[in-house]
Amino acid sequence: MSAPAMRRPRLGFLGVGWIGRHRMEALVREAPVEVVGVADPSEDAAEAARALAPGCARVDSLDALLALGLDGVVIATPSAVHAEQSIQALERGVAVFCQKPLGRTAREVERVVDAARKADVLLGVDFSYRYAQGLRALRAHHQSGALGQVHAVNLVFHNAHGPDKPWFYDPALAGGGCVMDLGIHLVDLALWVLDFPAVRRVSSQRFAQGRPLRGREEAVEDYAAALLELEGGAAVQLACSWKLSAGCDAVIEASFYGTGGGVSFRNVNGSFYDFTTDAFRGTERVRLAGPPDGWGGRAAVDWAHRLARGERFTPDNTRLIQVADTLDRLYA
């Protein structure tokens, strides 16, 4: 006798601006879910989201969403409230998929992870670049042993535009500037590719409109450069920025170099979405992956499939704390 079909998880969406609505669209299209409610202070945003799931309710708070009897909630609100909103849902036994950063500090992230562990509830964070075909090809190339001993990593994320929401520029609300917005992806993907080695040392410089910053609360940075020394001695160079005169919309790169060769993930012609991955050996170059690749919503879709399978808290969530701790040290 075959097992009975699993009920589709009932999802609510807290925050349905551009990113929240994009994730909702991906989940409606590609995941076995039922959208039962949305909450957003913008009537236009809420109604645009409801058009993706006709019949779902519009409510005015997380409490009201949770009252709909959710299995999971997708959170895409300002960074300052991510941790508390995630904890509120987790303590009610509701799975969480949250936009990055999960918290503004390692302590906030640790509290969320502790709540997920205590409730034994699935927790996901939208580290979307992990799901790009090119980065997966890069990671597999490294895991094959083709790079030998990795000793150098170069990471770049320059956004020529910068965020369009005022809260991004408030240190208390955002927790930081381009490092919290863009650098967090770079730190996560470097540690993820290398299987989360310990970070031994961090040094950094941050700037706001060309002025060096000393304190985290002084202002949000629009340019940052950092050097991370990893367990085993690998050197990770990182640079990220908002509103840089880069000559294109974005410059995004993750390159790894070892004793056996190199591999690089780079955006194409300034695109935020199209990437190539090439492997190097001496002067030789081999293409491992290229566009098109609709990767943006895959992290959310993967989380939803795991929720539908009944998965719960996993010890891998503790790695979220390592990423947040590395950012804390970069801001120190």
Side-chain angles (χ1 to χ4, degrees):
M1 179 182 295
S2 61
M6 178 174 289
R7 179 172 63 90
R8 294 187 302 161
R10 292 167 55 86
L11 299 187
F13 288 77
L14 184 64
V16 284
W18 182 85
I19 191 68
R21 193 162 62 249
H22 184 275
R23 298 304 183 251
M24 181 176 175
E25 184 177 9
L27 286 164
V28 168
R29 183 179 63 246
E30 301 177 32
V33 300
E34 178 185 359
V35 178
V36 297
V38 301
D40 195 290
S42 166
E43 182 174 354
D44 289 344
E47 290 309 310
R50 291 184 68 214
L52 297 172
C56 77
R58 182 193 175 191
V59 297
D60 60 4
S61 67
L62 176 56
D63 275 332
L65 271 180
L66 296 175
L68 296 175
L70 303 182
D71 299 301
V73 62
V74 177
I75 297 174
T77 54
S79 299
V81 291
H82 284 179
E84 294 304 326
Q85 289 172 340
S86 296
I87 290 169
Q88 184 179 346
L90 293 165
E91 289 180 341
R92 294 275 292 270
V94 175
V96 167
F97 182 81
C98 187
Q99 277 305 305
K100 54 78 190 168
L102 183 58
R104 294 165 295 178
T105 64
R107 178 59 189 139
E108 285 189 352
V109 173
E110 186 176 15
R111 290 180 57 231
V112 180
V113 172
D114 286 347
R117 181 190 294 108
K118 183 176 180 181
D120 192 21
V121 174
L122 185 66
L123 171 64
V125 177
D126 198 1
F127 283 128
S128 52
Y129 287 89
R130 292 188 188 185
Y131 291 82
Q133 177 185 342
L135 265 180
R136 296 212 154 202
L138 184 154
R139 187 171 186 251
H141 188 70
H142 165 57
Q143 291 180 333
S144 75
L147 298 184
Q149 179 66 35
V150 172
H151 54 78
V153 181
N154 293 332
L155 306 171
V156 176
F157 198 148
H158 297 310
N159 182 341
H161 305 289
D164 60 358
K165 301 289 192 303
W167 64 264
F168 275 97
Y169 301 93
D170 183 332
L173 295 180
C178 60
V179 170
M180 191 64 69
D181 182 37
L182 308 176
I184 189 171
H185 283 300
L186 301 179
V187 170
D188 175 71
L189 70 87
L191 296 178
W192 176 70
V193 167
L194 298 175
D195 200 24
F196 288 87
V199 180
R200 287 182 170 175
R201 292 188 184 88
V202 178
S203 61
S204 66
Q205 292 178 278
R206 297 181 300 115
F207 300 85
Q209 296 182 331
R211 176 173 58 88
L213 297 176
R214 301 304 176 198
R216 190 169 188 169
E217 296 77 22
E218 184 180 352
V220 298
E221 72 283 351
D222 55 27
Y223 185 92
L227 179 63
L228 284 58
E229 180 187 332
L230 304 183
E231 183 179 21
V236 178
Q237 297 183 75
L238 178 156
C240 61
S241 68
W242 290 336
K243 301 181 181 178
L244 186 75
S245 297
C248 57
D249 288 333
V251 179
I252 306 170
E253 177 185 347
S255 297
F256 294 73
Y257 300 98
T259 55
V263 62
S264 187
F265 171 82
R266 293 172 175 156
N267 67 324
V268 178
N269 297 327
S271 173
F272 286 99
Y273 308 105
D274 293 336
F275 295 89
T276 59
T277 298
D278 294 310
F280 313 129
R281 188 171 181 86
T283 59
E284 296 178 358
R285 175 191 299 257
V286 176
R287 178 63 45 90
L288 300 181
D293 177 29
W295 54 273
R298 285 182 187 152
V301 171
D302 178 68
W303 169 83
H305 280 281
R306 292 170 61 202
L307 182 61
R309 292 195 298 267
E311 294 189 27
R312 307 186 77 82
F313 177 81
T314 65
D316 284 355
N317 284 146
T318 58
R319 291 172 170 173
L320 300 170
I321 303 171
Q322 183 183 0
V323 174
D325 177 70
T326 304
L327 263 65
D328 278 358
R329 294 164 65 187
L330 195 152
Y331 278 109

